[in-house]
Amino acid sequence: AEAKHQRVMCVLTNRLHSLQAFRTSWEAGDIVAFVQKLEACNDNSLPAAFLSRFAEHPEELHPAILARLLPMAQKLVQANCEEHAVAAVR
């Protein structure tokens, strides 16, 4: 049980650090840096959450940014997690 707890804590700590880095880019209005960080992210849940959010508000993204997100969406479509794949398709 302790090993599982440590593994979960490690995943959540890494996710927190990633979110803090994303927030810095987002607050600065640097969507290019934000997308670069998403592309480098090893945690599919964060790009999936981003894609889900912007599926609801696609007008907020420039077409060039959408083009950069396409390879990420293609990767997520093949993910083992159904929720991530559905987020990519939307």
Side-chain angles (χ1 to χ4, degrees):
E2 183 65 28
K4 279 186 176 182
H5 174 75
Q6 290 299 329
R7 191 170 52 223
V8 169
M9 288 300 296
C10 181
V11 168
L12 293 177
T13 299
N14 289 339
R15 191 170 291 169
L16 175 63
H17 292 299
S18 293
L19 288 172
Q20 289 169 335
F22 294 146
R23 181 179 178 190
T24 301
S25 297
W26 186 260
E27 288 178 345
D30 191 350
I31 193 69
V32 173
F34 186 84
V35 171
Q36 287 173 337
K37 290 174 184 174
L38 279 175
E39 291 169 336
C41 185
N42 292 326
D43 182 351
N44 283 342
S45 65
L46 297 175
F50 172 78
L51 291 173
S52 291
R53 162 65 177 89
F54 282 99
E56 298 170 9
H57 305 281
E59 68 280 356
E60 296 180 20
L61 289 179
H62 188 276
I65 298 297
L66 291 172
R68 292 208 41 199
L69 293 174
L70 186 57
M72 185 186 331
Q74 290 173 326
K75 177 184 167 192
L76 287 173
V77 165
Q78 299 171 6
N80 291 335
C81 177
E82 182 179 354
E83 184 177 325
H84 298 167
V86 168
V89 172
R90 290 185 182 172

